[in-house]
Amino acid sequence: MTLRARSGVQRSWQQGHAPALLVIPLGLIVTVCVVDVLSPPHVHLGPLLVAAPAITVAFGGARTTAAMGALAVAAQVLIGVLRGVSGTANIQAQIAALIVVSAVCVTVCVVRDRREQQLHQVRSVAEAAQRVLLQPLPARAGPLRIAGLYIPAEEEAELGGDLYAVARTAHHSTRLLIGDVRGSGLGAISNTALLLGAFRAAAHRQATLPRLAVHLDAAFRWDTGQWRSRTEQDTVEDFATALLLDIPDHEPVVHLISCGHPPPLILRGDRLIPLVADASHLPIGLAGAFGIADYDVQTFPFEPGDLLLLYTDGVIEARDTEGRFYPFTERAPQWTTEDPDELLRHLQADLLAHVHAHLYDDAAVVAIRRTTSAPPPTDPAP
């Protein structure tokens, strides 16, 4: 299950809010009319009617704003008639000014609504791209229960440089990738798509993790550098920190290769165990001279009931307004008894509360719990 960081704040001008909020400009029009008519001749409150369409812009569409402007103009005419000054230059100037202000407010609504529609279309495309690139993780893979959380740094963004993916192998194990691509923007998204595609194409058929690491590095370097000049290849560096993991179904261990990525954590009861590899290799894209023999596979116990947490540096480097880092290793053990989905919900709420809903870097977390039993082995489909 992939969780979004922000479910979307309902805009104040949405249709469901308008009926209640219309009381404000309507009440203003009625109040100005009554007070102006009952006031002494030298007191004129009619100019305050311009506030009615101006307020309506904040929550209403073009039609609602136009209707409120028309009511304000009608109220100004009514005031002039009741006070016997409808033919004076002063009241006519006020009516003309009110018409102009109302027209400007309606124009603002039209422009805003068009931009809202364009933004909605962009969001739809971004959501479709996210579903294609950062596919939801399977809830189950062999004896594992899995959940993923992705939190973009930008509020309106759907995908950045953080990534994760899962694949099943022919020898009854689960392969996982979590990574963080250097940079941001379209370049980072392009490299994210490249790395995810290379992993999905090879993870299920590569015999060993070192072979998979070599394949990812070679594919990443080739695609990012094939159209660059020699000078650009020497000065521009595209790379991604990554963790490659293989979890056998019928052996209580996890095998991993670290390519410059933060170490995963095991939650075992009330204990938190960092899985710090003896060797952290160069990030994907920078290990051009590395061969299969240069990658060291580390093996750690991963017993039934354990919870494995994979994460990117956007989690541990998230800061509050006073510059304090998010205490990930202190908070995570509080939710060790939760299901992976529920743990990530708690983590999401706690992290966003710590940074006051403003991240400076994308953040991704994958939670994996090994259950007490695995399904019997089956022959892979041809």
Side-chain angles (χ1 to χ4, degrees), residues 17-220:
H17 287 252
L21 295 177
L22 281 174
V23 174
I24 299 174
L26 287 174
L28 175 64
I29 292 174
V30 173
T31 301
V32 169
C33 285
V34 173
V35 175
D36 197 298
V37 171
L38 297 179
S39 296
H42 64 279
V43 177
H44 301 282
L45 299 182
L48 294 178
L49 290 171
V50 298
I55 292 174
T56 309
V57 171
F59 61 85
R63 292 182 179 180
T64 304
T65 302
M68 199 59 61
L71 286 176
V73 171
Q76 184 68 75
V77 173
L78 179 62
I79 291 174
V81 172
L82 294 178
R83 300 193 67 169
V85 293
S86 58
T88 63
N90 182 43
I91 198 69
Q92 291 177 0
Q94 292 181 23
I95 293 174
L98 189 53
I99 293 174
V100 171
V101 171
S102 299
V104 171
C105 291
V106 172
T107 302
V108 170
C109 287
V110 171
V111 173
R112 183 198 62 202
D113 291 346
R114 288 179 179 176
R115 291 185 176 180
E116 284 291 321
Q117 185 177 8
Q118 293 173 351
L119 180 58
H120 175 73
Q121 293 173 347
V122 170
R123 287 175 181 168
S124 298
V125 173
E127 290 173 359
Q130 183 194 36
R131 287 193 293 268
V132 172
L133 295 181
L134 199 62
Q135 298 174 1
L137 299 179
R140 300 225 30 144
L144 308 178
R145 299 184 63 183
I146 306 173
L149 168 67
Y150 178 77
I151 309 178
E154 297 297 331
E155 184 172 359
E156 303 300 340
E158 295 289 339
L159 188 63
D162 288 8
L163 57 99
Y164 49 68
V166 174
R168 289 288 289 171
T169 69
H171 52 278
H172 311 297
S173 71
T174 300
R175 291 256 170 95
L176 297 104
L177 165 70
I178 186 167
D180 186 358
V181 174
R182 173 185 177 272
S184 59
L186 293 177
I189 294 176
S190 176
N191 290 337
T192 297
L194 165 64
L195 195 54
L196 286 171
F199 175 83
R200 289 168 182 151
H204 67 284
R205 58 183 175 85
Q206 294 292 335
T208 64
L209 282 184
R211 286 184 180 274
L212 178 58
V214 170
H215 171 80
L216 294 181
D217 184 81
F220 192 86

Side-chain angles (χ1 to χ4, degrees), residues 214-236:
V214 170
H215 171 80
L216 294 181
D217 184 81
F220 192 86
R221 286 187 296 107
W222 171 256
D223 196 273
T224 56
Q226 62 177 322
W227 304 116
R228 291 176 179 167
S229 66
R230 176 62 62 181
T231 302
E232 290 176 323
Q233 292 179 12
D234 293 337
T235 58
V236 179

